[in-house]
Amino acid sequence: ETGVTQTPRHLVMGMTNKKSLKCEQHLGHNAMYWYKQSAKKPLELMFVYSLEERVENNSVPSRFSPECPNSSHLFLHLHTLQPEDSALYLCASSHPLGQGTQNEQFFGPGTRLTVL
Amino acid sequence: AQKVTQAQTEISVVEKEDVTLDCVYETRDTTYYLFWYKQPPSGELVFLIRRNSFDEQNEISGRYSWNFQKSTSSFNFTITASQVVDSAVYFCALRGYNNNDMRFGAGTRLTVKP
């Protein structure tokens, strides 16, 4: 139990659907992350929030929209996805970013997304 | 630019064998952090270790040991007397001192057979 939970664990959606992924951390962290893990590709960092402000957006298509209402919750809103977006979406959290902060990230179990 | 290379895609060993997972990195940062994570079939990445670039002391934790060599930009991970429960994908990762972006290697899938 790492203290980071994600729901749902599995999601199947059509290309015209709108869905949201939820992440919650119980570790007292102030930074949260979304990663995409596709088959046979390295983990790709999608978004970073630190102190509830987005600090990183790695050229992610607009059909992915993150939301961080507070330091414990992170959402990823999905709209008009493509089949190639099928992947494992991992959420992580860490202590606040900053100079010298040794902030290893703790991961949730992921949401396995399939886009039909 | 930061890059992590795990050249071994898959490794298969028999239980009780020792196994070393290689990790080579590239960075222009003078200060950085290196990490190892384990991803079992359940999917969740489990943090194993963090190493600071200014601390080259090797570390041992039970059956796990890590060999950090700055001169060769390597941070290798050895499992001694492997067990079936060690079967997982192992990721090496790198983060710069003031960088939000943690770069992961492609991972090494370790299978330990009974």
Side-chain angles (χ1 to χ4, degrees):
Chain A
E1 182 63 46
T2 65
V4 181
T5 59
Q6 290 186 244
T7 54
R9 293 294 308 275
H10 300 272
L11 178 62
V12 179
M13 59 187 290
M15 290 190 285
T16 57
N17 291 156
K18 286 184 182 181
K19 297 287 184 183
S20 295
L21 309 184
K22 179 182 176 182
C23 175
E24 184 172 359
Q25 60 93 5
H26 309 276
L27 300 169
H29 292 158
N30 282 317
M32 297 188 77
Y33 311 76
W34 279 117
Y35 285 87
K36 177 183 179 182
Q37 186 177 29
S38 306
K40 300 182 179 180
K41 290 178 72 174
L43 271 79
E44 301 171 63
L45 179 65
M46 300 175 71
F47 301 104
V48 179
Y49 277 83
S50 180
L51 301 173
E52 299 158 40
E53 287 191 18
R54 192 189 309 181
V55 296
E56 194 93 20
N57 177 351
N58 284 350
S59 303
V60 179
S62 59
R63 58 186 183 269
F64 295 92
S65 173
E67 178 190 2
C68 187
N70 56 62
S71 60
S72 298
H73 293 87
L74 183 66
F75 295 89
L76 187 63
H77 304 299
L78 315 172
H79 175 53
T80 322
L81 295 192
Q82 305 297 312
E84 58 265 29
D85 296 322
S86 299
L88 181 67
Y89 289 84
L90 291 159
C91 173
S93 71
S94 72
H95 286 299
L97 303 172
Q99 285 196 356
T101 303
Q102 299 179 11
N103 56 336
E104 53 266 27
Q105 296 175 19
F106 292 87
F107 285 79
T111 295
R112 174 71 62 187
L113 173 67
T114 302
V115 182
L116 301 176
Chain B
Q2 297 186 112
K3 184 179 178 182
V4 177
T5 301
Q6 294 179 255
Q8 304 150 307
T9 306
E10 296 190 31
I11 299 176
S12 181
V13 299
V14 177
E15 206 170 20
K16 298 184 182 177
E17 285 185 16
D18 298 347
V19 58
T20 295
L21 310 181
D22 298 332
C23 174
V24 175
Y25 62 92
E26 297 174 27
T27 181
R28 293 178 182 170
D29 291 329
T30 54
T31 304
Y32 49 89
Y33 301 104
L34 294 161
F35 305 83
W36 275 96
Y37 284 85
K38 173 183 179 180
Q39 187 176 37
S42 60
E44 178 177 321
L45 270 78
V46 178
F47 167 72
L48 296 178
I49 190 171
R50 177 195 67 239
R51 172 60 67 214
N52 307 331
S53 58
F54 47 84
D55 178 5
E56 291 194 63
Q57 185 174 3
N58 291 326
E59 183 160 339
I60 298 175
S61 176
R63 296 184 298 108
Y64 295 171
S65 62
W66 291 269
N67 183 2
F68 175 36
Q69 295 204 357
K70 208 168 179 178
S71 59
T72 56
S73 297
S74 66
F75 185 43
N76 296 338
F77 172 30
T78 297
I79 301 175
T80 303
S82 59
Q83 300 175 2
V84 173
V85 294
D86 295 327
S87 297
V89 181
Y90 290 85
F91 292 93
C92 180
L94 164 71
R95 185 178 74 78
Y97 190 70
N98 288 318
N99 197 330
N100 298 325
D101 194 351
M102 188 153 77
R103 292 300 172 99
F104 285 81
T108 297
R109 180 176 299 277
L110 173 66
T111 301
V112 181
K113 299 178 181 177

